[in-house]
Amino acid sequence: MNPSSVPLMSDAAASDPSSRRLEPAMGLGLSDRLIDRMVLISSVAAAVCALALLHARAYPVSMTVDALAALLLFFLWLCRHRISSGRRLACLALTGILVAVPAIVFNPYSPDGYLLVAGVMALSFTNWSGRRALALPVACVLLLAAMAVGVSLDWIRVSTVAPDFSGRPQAWVIVCLTVVLLGTAMGGAIFELKHRLLSQIELLESSNRQLFRFAYQDAVTGLWNVDFLDRELERGRASGQVHQFMVIELLGLRELSALCGPGRVDQLWRDGVELLRTNLSADSLMLCRMSGDQLAVWSPELDPHRLIEATKAFMAHACSKLSLDRLGIQLHAASVSFPEHGVDLDALRRSAQVALQSALVQGPGACVPFAAEMLQQLHEEQVLRERVRQALDQDGFYAVYQAKVDREHQQIVGFEGLARMRPLEDEQVPGPATFISVLHAEGWMTQFGERMLQRILHDMPALCARYGADIQVAANVSPALFLSPGFPDLLKGLLIESGVAASNLIIEITEEVFVGDLQRLRQACAALRDLGVQVSLDDFGSGFSSLSYLREVHFDEIKIDRSFVQRIETDRRSQMVLATLCELGRDFDCRVVIEGVETAGQLERISGLHGVCLQGFYFARPQPLDLLLER
């Protein structure tokens, strides 16, 4: 790893007491207290050995070395606070080597010198690591090898006769002290290292548990997170186990966070999780917070139908218990199965999201199991969006025109321009209801309305030349385009560009345009009327507020919805309502157009109405411009 890529520890982390607690446990060297004890014990042992040799009047060199070692070690113990632990231990090891050399040379059959060398090597491996740990053992080996070479070359004279300890109890004292010294030192070192190792293992286990919680648990709810879920799915795939998932989505959390703060959302999560644990008490169930607004419940054992029923019961209980309706929170859920609906977490979440979209359409509290047809439908919707976008960018829409006929004179008095999509190669062309819904959903209606209005105005001179200069053509526009401040200027520019008289154009709007500022609607209608363009209210009578619209805004034309014509042959009430609406339109000084006339029977029932225009398949279907010009 490149060291420059490793982030540095922040000042806050460096000063954190919890991080400092880890430092002593991470080193396995001997503690200062144990080293000081070893120095003091060694000093006393060396002094006793020197006195024993003095009393026995033997080995004067060893006696002198032991006495100097005792003084040196005692001085080292007195200055323990000024000398680092590593240096104190190094001095102790070197002193042991110095004591061992004359002991081996002058008494090679006694084990005390060899024990000291072995103890020095063991302490080196115990306290240091790497090259430092090998330094003293290598030095001891080289020293013993040098002594062996010196003995073999007769540079060092040693006694070949084993010493007789029967008359010299001091020698036994020295050997015993050496064994006690080494046993105490090594036993203490091993005990301390064992204690430190156990403490470190316990600390690491605690840290692992904490890191496991950090890695796999949600901080707010304490539930498992997506990383844990991903790990469980890996295990399930390896073992071939099937998991049933229920993904619950909460809508409205962002708005609640903006109104009441993130703390209120966190508390709602905790309350909801507690309620969920109470309702779904099965031991095999596991809970996971998948995202900021999604919760997963899964089980390898529970029947999917039981899981769905339990989830529905929980959502109903949560809405009443937590007052979710009052908070503006809605719940819906989706059921997926692993690995049937996804072999990994990403695929499983995609399947769940597709089912959640279907549940969202069905309404709050819906729980929808995933089906492969949903994914196919989603793919088809995506293809349709791309096709509509392509048609919008590449002039893929054109206009067809349906005639309006004067009932009394049975002649064409106008047309309504309708949008159609051009086919692309051999594809099936989506109908108007389909691509209009896509345009509405994607927010492309304004751009589409401008394109179609430009197209209709481009065709109008030819229609006027063929059917008379007074012919009128209606164009539908979206509420967003109609109410935009720049629409009158746009329309004026298009009229000038096409050379069409404003009186030949009718702008049709639907009741959706009334959802907003009524004063703004009056201003928009007045601006078009100043240009000489007429305004028509389409689908009149289909809404509950149509009559109030006529009271508030003046329209030049109303188009009665086709629903009143469909049952006019068999329903007398429909006949009466239709007649009343026509009379009402005339009273408000509006031209009346009846849409949806498709049969001779419908035309016969309308024959008693005067001063109305008719539009429908009975007279003409929508036709392209070239066919209308050939008539």
Short mmCIF file of all heavy atoms in Angstrom, two decimals, residues 54 135 166 183 195 262 270 278 306 329 400 413 426 465 524 553 557 579 586 588:
data_model
loop_
_atom_site.label_atom_id
_atom_site.label_comp_id
_atom_site.label_asym_id
_atom_site.label_seq_id
_atom_site.Cartn_x
_atom_site.Cartn_y
_atom_site.Cartn_z
N LEU A 54 34.35 -15.71 47.98
CA LEU A 54 35.35 -15.14 48.89
C LEU A 54 35.56 -16.05 50.10
O LEU A 54 36.70 -16.28 50.54
CB LEU A 54 34.91 -13.74 49.33
CG LEU A 54 35.84 -13.03 50.32
CD1 LEU A 54 37.22 -12.79 49.68
CD2 LEU A 54 35.22 -11.69 50.76
N ALA A 135 20.21 -9.98 18.31
CA ALA A 135 21.55 -9.44 18.58
C ALA A 135 22.25 -10.17 19.72
O ALA A 135 23.38 -10.69 19.56
CB ALA A 135 21.45 -7.94 18.87
N SER A 166 31.86 -31.62 47.31
CA SER A 166 31.51 -32.16 48.62
C SER A 166 32.09 -31.32 49.75
O SER A 166 31.47 -31.17 50.80
CB SER A 166 32.01 -33.61 48.74
OG SER A 166 33.44 -33.64 48.56
N GLY A 183 14.91 -18.91 37.27
CA GLY A 183 13.50 -19.32 37.40
C GLY A 183 12.59 -18.17 37.74
O GLY A 183 11.48 -18.04 37.19
N HIS A 195 -0.36 -12.73 31.19
CA HIS A 195 -1.40 -11.81 31.63
C HIS A 195 -1.68 -10.75 30.57
O HIS A 195 -2.84 -10.41 30.29
CB HIS A 195 -0.96 -11.15 32.94
CG HIS A 195 -1.90 -10.10 33.43
ND1 HIS A 195 -3.15 -10.41 33.95
CD2 HIS A 195 -1.80 -8.74 33.47
CE1 HIS A 195 -3.77 -9.30 34.29
NE2 HIS A 195 -2.97 -8.27 34.02
N PRO A 262 -34.71 15.91 12.29
CA PRO A 262 -34.29 14.51 12.16
C PRO A 262 -34.53 13.68 13.42
O PRO A 262 -34.74 12.48 13.35
CB PRO A 262 -32.79 14.62 11.85
CG PRO A 262 -32.60 16.01 11.34
CD PRO A 262 -33.62 16.85 12.05
N ARG A 270 -37.41 4.22 15.93
CA ARG A 270 -37.25 3.37 17.11
C ARG A 270 -38.59 2.84 17.60
O ARG A 270 -38.71 1.66 17.97
CB ARG A 270 -36.54 4.16 18.22
CG ARG A 270 -35.05 4.37 17.96
CD ARG A 270 -34.37 4.98 19.16
NE ARG A 270 -34.66 6.39 19.29
CZ ARG A 270 -33.91 7.36 18.79
NH1 ARG A 270 -32.81 7.07 18.13
NH2 ARG A 270 -34.24 8.63 18.96
N THR A 278 -42.64 -6.48 18.48
CA THR A 278 -43.75 -6.99 19.29
C THR A 278 -44.74 -7.77 18.44
O THR A 278 -45.24 -8.83 18.86
CB THR A 278 -44.47 -5.83 19.99
OG1 THR A 278 -43.53 -5.10 20.78
CG2 THR A 278 -45.58 -6.34 20.88
N ARG A 306 -47.78 -16.30 5.21
CA ARG A 306 -47.88 -15.89 6.62
C ARG A 306 -47.09 -14.61 6.86
O ARG A 306 -47.51 -13.75 7.62
CB ARG A 306 -47.34 -17.00 7.52
CG ARG A 306 -48.22 -18.24 7.57
CD ARG A 306 -47.63 -19.27 8.51
NE ARG A 306 -47.43 -18.70 9.85
CZ ARG A 306 -46.69 -19.27 10.79
NH1 ARG A 306 -46.08 -20.42 10.53
NH2 ARG A 306 -46.57 -18.70 11.97
N ILE A 329 -47.28 10.03 7.09
CA ILE A 329 -46.45 8.88 6.71
C ILE A 329 -47.34 7.77 6.16
O ILE A 329 -48.37 7.45 6.74
CB ILE A 329 -45.65 8.35 7.92
CG1 ILE A 329 -44.84 9.47 8.55
CG2 ILE A 329 -44.75 7.21 7.50
CD1 ILE A 329 -43.80 10.06 7.64
N VAL A 400 -53.32 15.04 -36.75
CA VAL A 400 -54.47 14.61 -37.54
C VAL A 400 -55.65 15.48 -37.13
O VAL A 400 -55.65 16.08 -36.06
CB VAL A 400 -54.78 13.12 -37.32
CG1 VAL A 400 -53.66 12.26 -37.84
CG2 VAL A 400 -55.04 12.83 -35.85
N VAL A 413 -67.63 22.87 -40.11
CA VAL A 413 -67.40 24.25 -39.66
C VAL A 413 -66.07 24.40 -38.95
O VAL A 413 -65.66 25.52 -38.59
CB VAL A 413 -68.53 24.70 -38.71
CG1 VAL A 413 -69.85 24.77 -39.46
CG2 VAL A 413 -68.64 23.77 -37.50
N ASP A 426 -40.87 -1.10 -37.93
CA ASP A 426 -42.04 -1.98 -37.84
C ASP A 426 -42.63 -2.02 -36.44
O ASP A 426 -43.38 -2.94 -36.09
CB ASP A 426 -41.66 -3.41 -38.25
CG ASP A 426 -41.21 -3.48 -39.70
OD1 ASP A 426 -41.68 -2.62 -40.49
OD2 ASP A 426 -40.41 -4.36 -40.03
N ALA A 465 -57.65 27.15 -47.08
CA ALA A 465 -57.79 27.25 -48.53
C ALA A 465 -58.76 26.19 -49.06
O ALA A 465 -59.48 26.42 -50.05
CB ALA A 465 -56.42 27.09 -49.18
N ALA A 524 -54.97 34.96 -18.33
CA ALA A 524 -54.52 34.21 -19.50
C ALA A 524 -55.59 34.21 -20.59
O ALA A 524 -55.30 34.40 -21.77
CB ALA A 524 -54.16 32.79 -19.09
N VAL A 553 -65.20 32.29 -15.37
CA VAL A 553 -64.40 32.61 -16.55
C VAL A 553 -65.29 32.52 -17.78
O VAL A 553 -66.09 31.59 -17.92
CB VAL A 553 -63.20 31.64 -16.69
CG1 VAL A 553 -62.36 32.01 -17.91
CG2 VAL A 553 -62.36 31.65 -15.42
N GLU A 557 -66.32 28.70 -26.21
CA GLU A 557 -66.87 27.42 -26.63
C GLU A 557 -66.77 26.43 -25.47
O GLU A 557 -65.81 26.45 -24.71
CB GLU A 557 -66.09 26.89 -27.84
CG GLU A 557 -66.52 25.52 -28.34
CD GLU A 557 -65.64 25.04 -29.48
OE1 GLU A 557 -65.94 25.38 -30.63
OE2 GLU A 557 -64.64 24.33 -29.20
N ALA A 579 -79.42 17.96 -22.90
CA ALA A 579 -80.21 19.12 -23.34
C ALA A 579 -80.00 20.30 -22.40
O ALA A 579 -79.89 21.46 -22.84
CB ALA A 579 -81.69 18.74 -23.41
N ARG A 586 -75.70 27.95 -24.26
CA ARG A 586 -76.23 29.08 -25.04
C ARG A 586 -76.54 30.27 -24.15
O ARG A 586 -76.33 31.43 -24.54
CB ARG A 586 -77.47 28.63 -25.81
CG ARG A 586 -77.15 27.72 -26.99
CD ARG A 586 -78.38 27.54 -27.87
NE ARG A 586 -79.43 26.81 -27.15
CZ ARG A 586 -79.60 25.51 -27.18
NH1 ARG A 586 -78.75 24.77 -27.89
NH2 ARG A 586 -80.57 24.91 -26.53
N PHE A 588 -74.93 31.14 -21.57
CA PHE A 588 -73.66 31.80 -21.25
C PHE A 588 -72.96 32.31 -22.50
O PHE A 588 -71.78 32.69 -22.44
CB PHE A 588 -72.73 30.82 -20.52
CG PHE A 588 -73.00 30.73 -19.04
CD1 PHE A 588 -73.84 29.75 -18.54
CD2 PHE A 588 -72.43 31.63 -18.16
CE1 PHE A 588 -74.09 29.65 -17.18
CE2 PHE A 588 -72.67 31.55 -16.81
CZ PHE A 588 -73.51 30.55 -16.30
#
